[in-house]
Amino acid sequence: MIKTLGVQLFTIRSAMTDEDSIRSSFLKLKELGYEEGQTAGFFVGAPKFAEIAKETGLKICGTHCGFGELIADPDRAMEEHDLLGTKNIGIGGMPGEARESLDALYRFVEQFNEFAAKVNKYGFKFTYHNHSFEFARLGGKRIIDVLVDGLDPKTTSFVLDTYWVQHGGGDVIWWMNKLAGRIDILHLKDMAMADKQYITEIGQGNINFDGIIATAEKIGVKHYVVEQDTCPGDPFDSLKISYEYIKSKYMA
């Protein structure tokens, strides 16, 4: 059973424009039942963002930061993540040029591992969040296979996104088992179908969360994070629907 549920703060990005709105947004998340947040930027700078999170009691379980900024200044990255109270330094996806050729992709993997090795000496892991483009082929190889084979499992981990794996034609549970021990943060995101696939609240779509949660418990996922990139209305209403569904089925 899930003990603590988090949210990828990208879901409520429109509600975080200054210190006051970030504070009130975090308090709303706490009222809904969410205990953790994963960042998608700091909005007001990492120190103030960390201060507001601690003040409101929302624990930061990981981040999505800019790849170039991280590798340019590992010391600053570690300092900011120490303030945030998380050992998961992450990016939301690879730079565009890494998707253009195998040489560029291999260089990205090399840079990723170099940064991960530097920060891992101090207890940090460097995390990679997938979309569906990683399931495309580049120069005869699938991007996802290059990442899985090339990233160092001792210093890196995957933020596996359930929606994007399925959107890319992958079997979510198969990939979870493939990456057993390499997924500290799991993005819970549901997929529905009308004229095309779209992101929806957890339990409102077709993704096999019974199997996913059972597999996550088996492989040792540490953080369960709801993310909804687009919402039909108020994102807090969507997060309420997702929380209540998960609470009713998968939380102690």
Side-chain angles (χ1 to χ4, degrees):
M1 303 294 283
I2 298 174
K3 295 180 180 179
T4 301
L5 192 61
V7 60
Q8 177 29 277
L9 298 171
F10 182 73
T11 307
I12 59 165
R13 60 197 179 277
S14 61
M16 297 192 296
T17 57
D18 56 23
E19 293 179 21
D20 288 341
S21 61
I22 291 171
R23 184 177 292 105
S24 63
S25 293
F26 286 3
L27 290 172
K28 285 181 183 179
L29 293 176
K30 291 283 291 182
E31 289 173 4
L32 291 176
Y34 292 95
E35 298 290 339
E36 295 186 327
Q38 183 187 23
T39 72
F42 302 130
F43 302 93
V44 291
K48 179 57 68 173
F49 192 88
E51 180 184 316
I52 297 171
K54 290 176 182 176
E55 175 190 330
T56 56
L58 189 75
K59 296 178 181 179
I60 303 300
C61 64
T63 64
H64 282 177
C65 300
F67 182 63
E69 295 175 4
L70 291 174
I71 64 174
D73 197 344
D75 289 336
R76 178 181 178 181
M78 289 187 287
E79 180 182 343
E80 290 180 340
H81 284 73
D82 275 333
L83 288 174
L84 293 164
T86 180
K87 292 297 185 181
N88 293 311
I89 302 175
I91 61 173
M94 65 181 65
E97 59 268 21
R99 301 165 56 177
E100 295 174 359
S101 72
L102 272 179
D103 286 343
L105 177 59
Y106 285 128
R107 177 56 184 155
F108 167 72
V109 170
E110 180 182 352
Q111 291 178 309
F112 199 101
N113 281 332
E114 287 173 356
F115 177 86
K118 289 177 183 177
V119 301
N120 190 249
K121 294 177 182 178
Y122 301 93
F124 294 93
K125 271 192 176 180
F126 196 18
T127 71
Y128 183 85
H129 168 264
N130 70 281
H131 292 84
S132 55
F133 70 80
E134 291 89 352
F135 292 84
R137 294 186 182 275
L138 185 65
K141 294 180 178 290
R142 285 192 307 182
I143 295 172
I144 188 68
D145 295 325
V146 174
L147 295 176
V148 171
D149 294 341
L151 296 182
D152 186 345
K154 296 178 182 178
T155 60
T156 71
S157 66
F158 285 85
V159 177
L160 199 74
D161 187 300
T162 57
Y163 176 94
W164 290 120
V165 171
Q166 189 155 315
H167 187 271
D171 181 315
V172 181
I173 294 173
W174 188 92
W175 277 100
M176 290 175 70
N177 283 313
K178 170 79 171 177
L179 294 170
R182 301 177 68 179
I183 304 171
D184 292 330
I185 300 172
L186 179 67
H187 273 191
L188 305 178
K189 187 183 297 181
D190 210 345
M191 177 189 287
M193 183 68 192
D195 294 329
K196 60 181 180 179
Q197 304 102 316
Y198 65 94
I199 300 167
T200 190
E201 294 81 7
I202 308 299
Q204 304 302 302
N206 301 307
I207 287 184
N208 176 17
F209 282 107
D210 287 351
I212 285 169
I213 300 303
T215 304
E217 293 179 335
K218 182 182 70 174
I219 67 172
V221 167
K222 297 181 178 67
H223 303 280
Y224 297 83
V225 173
V226 172
E227 182 179 33
Q228 190 165 341
D229 303 31
T230 56
C231 302
D234 188 331
F236 291 99
D237 291 340
S238 290
L239 287 173
K240 183 175 189 290
I241 292 169
S242 292
Y243 182 86
E244 290 178 349
Y245 180 83
I246 294 168
K247 175 71 174 177
S248 70
K249 296 199 66 176
Y250 308 121
M251 297 184 73

